[in-house]
């Protein structure tokens, strides 16, 4: 049964109140839940609750709302005894500029769309300030990341099933939404051998691409930084499946990103230790051989289809990475004025929101470009655009600084991988891909762990815990609250 707008709003209001209340009870579990929902929301939108696709889209955001309220307005004692050294003035200036030059732009013509535009830019930034306090110590950090990485196995197995099922299979579909419209499933390959470009548990191809890249980074860094039998799960499970899924997406960005990450991490491992495990370069070489061998044997058709797409595509990988962003931002710079066309006006969902709420069109239609950097320039105008990408640069530099300053540890290994992730996404999607937005802010927050400072000093000697290359003082009051 198709729900009306009023029914959806009433259901959404009730659900929001309940979810926010539950999230406020334990903000750490709420953050964990939001990160898991980000992996599964596409499956819910496509197969479980398609008539409420818009409500599911905001599910993780509502969970984070409750966590934000608890963390920032009613912090626990263990939160108040820590300080995170971040350039708060600069981040506040970026936010204010986005409000004044983006959200208050009269061309938008709707307060609802202005708020939505701010949401797609700023909503996940507070998450970064919470992530450093999610972990008790390095062992706890390793356990949480390893458990989270195991989601790669069922999601990638679903991707394999989608690849062999064919484009017309019910498991190969996109999330239907009045906000984004219905889209035809994309295929790649030649003639009758054409295969569906897989989406896994995500609504669209872009979300699955981000998942494959990020979980390949997590799995590879854990493999290099961990000791014990759990490495075998990563070696024979996660890494081959993620590499196979990269080919099955038909995305050159994803495949070449994985190869580039493996090369960078491998070169770094050969020159210096990134994790506590010994002989990391040998492990890296073994992992690459196993992963490549597994993909060649079990996903040969995916490689053939990928090669066909790579040869028949109308552009090149280098063009999409370098030329397209440069062309887009140059064209947008000529079309935009000081204020831009308004924040969020080029987002695909805004047209559906206008139609659903019967809002008038903007006075000037925002042009569309085949690159997010051009879209941001067109939406924000010069001042806000420059500050936004200065903020993106700061995120990247924070990740790099965390890697450089940390001793061999799981933290250092992951900081290197997350630096690669931010570098790859610098000219790619963030605000136009909510999955990328969430994980970029979360990984940036992880790399802020060295910036934690204890504000509690007791006369008696406290037990010192070495966490991710940073010495943290664990106070007795923190034991029960965690």
């Amino acid at each position: 049964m198709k729900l009306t707008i009023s029914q959806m709003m009433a259901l959404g209001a009730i659900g929001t109140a309940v979810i926010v209340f539950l999230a406020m009870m334990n903000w750490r579990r709420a953050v964990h839940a939001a990160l898991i929902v980000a992996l599964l929301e596409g499956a819910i939108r496509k197969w479980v609750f398609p008539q409420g696709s818009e409500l599911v889209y905001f599910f993780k955001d509502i969970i984070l709302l409750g966590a934000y309220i608890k963390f920032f307005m009613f912090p626990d004692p263990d939160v108040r005894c820590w300080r995170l050294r971040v350039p708060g003035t600069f981040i506040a200036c970026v936010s204010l500029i986005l409000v004044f030059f983006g959200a208050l732009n009269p061309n938008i013509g709707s307060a609802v769309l202005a708020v939505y535009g701010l949401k797609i830019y700023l909503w996940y930034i507070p998450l970064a300030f919470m992530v450093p306090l999610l972990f008790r110590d390095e062992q706890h950090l390793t356990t949480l990341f390893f458990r989270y990485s195991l989601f790669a196995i069922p999601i990638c197995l679903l991707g394999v099933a989608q690849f062999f099922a064919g484009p017309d299979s019910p498991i190969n579909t996109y999330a239907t939404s009045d906000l984004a419209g219905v889209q035809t499933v994309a295929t790649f390959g030649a003639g009758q051998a054409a295969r569906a470009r897989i989406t896994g548990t995500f609504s669209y191809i872009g979300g699955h691409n981000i998942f494959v890249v990020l979980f390949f980074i997590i799995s590879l860094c854990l493999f290099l930084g961990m000791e014990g039998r759990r490495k075998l799960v990563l070696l024979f499970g996660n890494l081959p499946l993620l590499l196979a899924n990269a080919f099955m997406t038909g995305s050159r960005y994803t495949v070449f990103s994985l190869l580039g990450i493996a090369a960078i991490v491998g070169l770094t491992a050969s020159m210096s230790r990134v994790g506590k495990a010994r002989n990391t370069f040998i492990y890296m070489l073994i992992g690459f051989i196993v992963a490549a061998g597994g993909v060649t044997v079990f996903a040969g058709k995916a490689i053939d289809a990928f090669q066909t797409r790579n040869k028949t595509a109308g552009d090149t990988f280098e063009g999409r990475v370098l030329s397209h962003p440069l062309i887009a931002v140059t064209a947008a710079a000529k079309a935009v004025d000081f204020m831009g066309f308004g924040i969020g006006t080029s987002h695909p969902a805004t047209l559906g929101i206008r139609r659903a709420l019967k809002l008038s069109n903007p006075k000037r239609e925002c042009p569309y470009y085949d690159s997010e950097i051009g879209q941001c320039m067109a939406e924000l105008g010069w001042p806000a655009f420059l500050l936004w990408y200065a903020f993106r640069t700061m995120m990247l530099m924070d990740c790099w600084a965390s890697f450089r300053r940390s001793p061999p540890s799981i933290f250092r290994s992951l900081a290197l991988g997350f630096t690669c992730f931010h570098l790859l996404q610098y000219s790619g999607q963030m605000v136009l891909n909510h999955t990328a937005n969430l994980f970029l802010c979360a990984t940036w927050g992880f790399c802020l762990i060295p910036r934690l400072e204890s504000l509690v000093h007791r006369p008696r000697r406290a037990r010192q815990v070495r966490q991710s290359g940073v010495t943290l003082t664990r106070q007795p009051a923190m034991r029960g609250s965690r």
Side-chain angles (χ1 to χ4, degrees):
M1 182 180 66
K2 186 69 174 179
L3 298 177
T4 65
I5 294 296
S6 59
Q7 289 173 332
M8 289 180 58
M9 293 181 67
L11 181 62
I14 297 173
T16 297
V18 173
I19 295 170
V20 168
F21 174 76
L22 293 175
M24 289 180 62
M25 295 178 65
N26 191 316
W27 68 266
R28 288 185 176 86
R29 290 182 181 176
V31 171
H32 295 156
L35 293 174
I36 294 174
V37 168
L39 302 180
L40 305 177
E41 70 172 10
I44 300 173
R45 295 177 68 189
K46 292 188 290 188
W47 303 310
V48 179
F49 192 40
Q51 67 271 30
S53 181
E54 289 85 359
L55 298 178
V56 179
Y57 174 82
F58 291 104
F59 187 29
K60 64 182 179 303
D61 302 329
I62 297 171
I63 295 175
L64 288 176
L65 174 61
Y68 291 166
I69 294 174
K70 175 61 177 176
F71 184 87
F72 292 103
M73 299 181 65
F74 308 101
D76 296 323
D78 65 319
V79 173
R80 290 196 296 266
C81 71
W82 294 97
R83 177 176 61 191
L84 186 63
R85 292 185 295 106
V86 294
T89 302
F90 173 72
I91 296 173
C93 288
V94 173
S95 302
L96 289 174
I97 289 296
L98 289 180
V99 171
F100 286 109
F101 285 86
L104 296 181
N105 192 319
N107 187 59
I108 299 176
S110 168
V112 173
L113 291 177
V115 172
Y116 180 76
L118 288 174
K119 179 263 176 191
I120 62 177
Y121 277 83
L122 302 177
W123 182 249
Y124 301 117
I125 292 177
L127 174 63
F129 307 142
M130 305 165 69
V131 170
L133 290 168
L134 286 177
F135 313 104
R136 292 192 296 267
D137 49 39
E138 188 171 354
Q139 181 180 0
H140 185 228
L141 180 153
T142 304
T143 300
L144 289 180
F145 268 95
F146 178 75
R147 290 175 180 174
Y148 195 55
S149 73
L150 295 181
F151 279 96
I153 296 178
I155 294 175
C156 287
L157 288 175
L158 173 61
V160 173
Q162 290 174 333
F163 178 79
F164 287 102
D168 298 328
S169 172
I171 64 174
N172 279 317
T173 183
Y174 297 151
T176 57
S177 171
D178 291 336
L179 302 185
V182 180
Q183 300 184 34
T184 304
V185 175
T187 61
F188 69 126
Q192 296 183 350
R195 304 280 181 171
R197 298 181 63 186
I198 66 172
T199 58
T201 56
F202 296 85
S203 302
Y204 306 104
I205 297 172
H208 192 62
N209 289 340
I210 293 296
F211 159 78
V212 169
V213 172
L214 178 62
F215 273 68
F216 182 82
I217 290 172
I218 293 174
S219 300
L220 179 62
C221 293
L222 289 176
F223 176 73
L224 294 177
M226 290 173 55
E227 295 280 8
R229 296 179 180 179
R230 290 181 295 180
K231 294 167 70 76
L232 297 179
V233 178
L234 302 172
L235 178 60
F236 294 102
N238 290 27
L239 293 175
L241 284 172
L242 288 164
L243 188 56
N245 268 231
F247 284 101
M248 293 174 182
T249 62
S251 169
R252 289 163 294 171
Y253 158 82
T254 306
V255 172
F256 293 129
S257 293
L258 265 56
L259 296 177
I261 290 166
I264 292 173
V265 175
L267 181 62
T268 305
S270 65
M271 297 174 61
S272 64
R273 290 178 60 189
V274 294
K276 290 184 177 180
R278 299 179 180 180
N279 302 319
T280 53
F281 180 72
I282 296 177
Y283 285 133
M284 178 77 184
L285 184 60
I286 294 174
F288 178 78
I289 293 173
V290 171
V295 171
T296 303
V297 173
F298 298 107
K301 292 183 179 180
I303 297 176
D304 294 338
F306 176 82
Q307 290 176 339
T308 300
R309 169 172 165 75
N310 192 38
K311 293 177 182 178
T312 58
D315 55 4
T316 63
F317 172 75
E318 295 81 3
R320 294 197 66 85
V321 173
L322 300 175
S323 301
H324 284 205
L326 181 61
I327 293 172
V329 74
T330 302
K334 296 178 181 178
V336 75
D337 55 17
F338 192 70
M339 289 286 292
F341 291 86
I343 195 168
T345 49
S346 67
H347 195 277
T350 56
L351 180 61
I353 295 175
R354 289 184 185 277
R355 183 172 58 248
L357 300 181
K358 298 180 180 180
L359 302 175
S360 59
N361 293 326
K363 300 176 183 178
R364 298 178 300 150
E365 291 290 339
C366 182
Y368 290 85
Y369 303 98
D370 192 22
S371 177
E372 182 176 286
I373 192 170
Q375 298 296 108
C376 290
M377 168 66 80
E379 288 184 3
L380 302 177
W382 277 103
F385 170 80
L386 292 176
L387 269 181
W388 174 248
Y389 274 89
F391 171 71
R392 294 285 305 274
T393 303
M394 182 195 72
M395 295 171 70
L396 174 62
M397 297 308 297
D398 284 342
C399 295
W400 172 246
S402 296
F403 163 70
R404 289 183 63 245
R405 297 173 182 176
S406 301
S409 60
I410 290 292
F411 176 84
R412 189 168 195 257
S413 176
L414 290 168
L416 173 61
F418 294 158
T419 301
C420 295
F421 181 53
H422 279 259
L423 182 62
L424 288 168
Q425 287 297 122
Y426 189 79
S427 62
Q429 290 187 336
M430 179 175 176
V431 297
L432 296 180
N433 186 329
H434 62 280
T435 304
N437 200 337
L438 173 69
F439 287 123
L440 282 168
C441 290
T443 52
W444 171 49
F446 175 83
C447 293
L448 294 179
I449 287 177
R451 296 177 178 268
L452 276 178
E453 292 181 346
S454 177
L455 298 178
V456 179
H457 302 281
R458 296 181 181 270
R460 65 179 183 178
R461 184 177 179 182
R463 182 159 59 97
Q464 300 294 318
V465 178
R466 177 70 61 179
Q467 175 180 334
S468 306
V470 183
T471 301
L472 301 180
T473 303
R474 189 186 198 180
Q475 302 296 343
M478 299 171 62
R479 294 175 182 172
S481 56
R482 293 212 178 188

